[in-house]
Amino acid sequence: MKKLILTLFCLLAIIFCTAQVTAVNDDVNMAEPRSEENIIMTVRGPIPASAFGKALVHEHVMCDFSGAAKTSELRYNTDDVVKTMLPFLQAVKQRGFTGFVDCTPAWLGRDAEVLFRLAGLTDLHILTNTGYYGAGNDKFLPSHAFTESADQLAARWVREWEQGIDGTAIKPGFIKISVDKGPLSQIDRKIVRAAAKTHLQTGLTIVCHTGEAQAALGVLKNVRSQGVHPSALIIVHADAIADPAVRFQLAKAGAWLEYDGVKAESIETHVKLIRETLRAGFGHRLLLSHDAGWYRVGEPGGARAKIRSYTTISDQLIPALKRTGISEAVLEKLLVDNPAQAFTVRLRKR
Ligand SMILES: [Zn+2]
């Protein structure tokens, strides 16, 4: 009798364990266990991914649109940038957000020290990046981007990861690149491949500005061709891809869809887009942000009056989503779990 009970017990245990494994696999193919070994690299150093908290994944503290030939730290006063942008970041913190990803790349106004100071003043987990911005008809690319190979560009970006940015000890938390619309130009393809090569050497996530279907699919193809799994790729401005079939094709491949154009006038549109994406089963691939800010280098006082706040998601979008019946658990997934997974430094090979 004892033997029979023991056998039954073992059988039940096996069935239970198998069910658990199946449930985990069904949940999200790429779901990684939360572990203190998973880190996110902030401007103040590594933190456990589980400490990132509620996060805005695509914002800008400062931009300089003068172009790679002109941009220089002599064009702005860092104290003025910090003083101007501090209240905007404090507003983020006051609303319970703790993660803030600054997507301004090098040659477009990236200043790691400004972000480091703001992180210290607000206690936000701020991320900066390595990589180059190929959109804007190559205006923001330094001259060496045209002459060097993808391997040489990747070596520059890997060096920032290993040694720090611009003579500081501050490390990038991700790779920010960008491509023009339409089929990838030769240089844009090189930049995407350089980003993939950098990922393979660092585990940093690739965040790519695309903005329309053809460019996004071209980026996906080139990232994969280098042996990188699409879960290491965030498709920036995915909310600008009109055809849901393309968005879902990207998500199905494993890429992240970043709906980052949230603003007061777009709430209704974004509620629809988010609900449509959840219904299609891609909530685990979705990221939200404002693409807002920023201190405008070259304009008096950084054009204070034109700076867009980073608070529309908390003040308008979240309440609107709740009104349609979206649960706290889903919001937690979109604003906490997904950002932590997306920005965890981790090698993702095909
Ligand atoms: Zn942006």
Side-chain angles (χ1 to χ4, degrees), residues 22-331:
T22 314
V24 169
N25 286 342
D26 278 355
D27 176 25
V28 184
N29 253 341
M30 353 254 131
E32 293 294 323
R34 279 192 172 187
S35 144
E36 295 298 288
E37 286 161 16
N38 284 339
I39 64 119
I40 287 176
M41 183 57 75
T42 80
V43 291
R44 294 196 291 174
I47 58 164
S50 56
F52 197 38
K54 210 186 277 184
L56 296 173
V57 296
H58 185 128
E59 310 294 345
H60 299 276
V61 164
M62 176 172 73
C63 289
D64 180 357
F65 288 104
S66 64
K70 284 192 190 152
T71 185
S72 152
E73 57 187 26
L74 302 174
R75 282 171 43 83
Y76 56 87
N77 174 300
T78 50
D79 289 343
D80 193 43
V81 179
V82 169
K83 200 175 94 199
T84 305
M85 296 312 295
L86 181 60
F88 290 95
L89 289 164
Q90 281 168 334
V92 170
K93 189 75 195 292
Q94 280 156 9
R95 282 159 177 80
F97 281 74
T98 47
F100 183 96
V101 179
D102 187 88
C103 276
T104 300
W107 306 99
L108 230 156
R110 180 191 64 169
D111 188 321
E113 275 184 348
V114 163
L115 299 178
F116 180 84
R117 283 174 64 186
L118 285 165
L121 290 166
T122 57
D123 213 20
L124 283 168
H125 301 306
I126 300 181
L127 273 57
T128 187
N129 62 85
T130 190
Y132 292 161
Y133 193 91
N137 295 317
D138 309 334
K139 183 183 173 186
F140 305 105
L141 290 173
S143 55
H144 64 250
F146 295 90
T147 54
E148 292 185 2
S149 66
D151 282 308
Q152 285 172 308
L153 292 176
R156 284 178 183 267
W157 302 344
V158 170
R159 212 173 302 133
E160 291 201 319
W161 167 249
E162 288 173 347
Q163 297 172 16
I165 294 169
D166 297 335
T168 71
I170 301 165
K171 294 187 173 185
F174 63 103
I175 306 156
K176 171 72 189 288
I177 55 167
S178 137
V179 297
D180 282 306
K181 290 182 177 175
L184 297 190
S185 66
Q186 207 183 344
I187 190 150
D188 285 352
R189 196 176 315 121
K190 183 166 72 179
I191 284 167
V192 173
R193 290 183 177 195
K197 287 169 186 289
T198 306
H199 171 78
L200 292 173
Q201 293 173 68
T202 62
L204 292 173
T205 300
I206 304 163
V207 175
C208 185
H209 163 114
T210 55
E212 58 80 46
Q214 206 174 9
L217 292 170
V219 170
L220 176 72
K221 187 176 151 203
N222 277 275
V223 163
R224 290 176 104 158
S225 78
Q226 297 296 306
V228 175
H229 192 275
S231 59
L233 172 66
I234 299 177
I235 302 290
V236 171
H237 312 324
D239 41 359
I241 299 173
D243 184 356
V246 174
R247 277 186 270 123
F248 300 154
Q249 184 187 339
L250 291 160
K252 202 170 171 197
W256 295 93
L257 299 177
E258 189 179 272
Y259 295 174
D260 51 32
V262 176
K263 45 173 85 79
E265 314 83 71
S266 78
I267 298 299
E268 210 180 312
T269 311
H270 275 99
V271 168
K272 269 190 206 151
L273 275 172
I274 293 163
R275 289 181 61 82
E276 173 192 60
T277 309
L278 292 172
R279 257 198 319 272
F282 294 114
H284 63 296
R285 299 283 89 196
L286 184 55
L287 298 165
L288 303 173
S289 212
H290 306 95
D291 196 11
W294 47 77
Y295 186 98
R296 287 161 169 78
V297 174
E299 296 186 38
R304 173 76 173 73
K306 287 194 218 163
I307 299 171
R308 275 174 55 218
S309 79
Y310 312 114
T311 53
T312 310
I313 287 179
S314 47
D315 295 1
Q316 297 181 52
L317 183 66
I318 293 173
L321 288 170
K322 281 185 180 166
R323 282 196 294 276
T324 70
I326 289 185
S327 68
E328 289 284 353
V330 170
L331 290 171

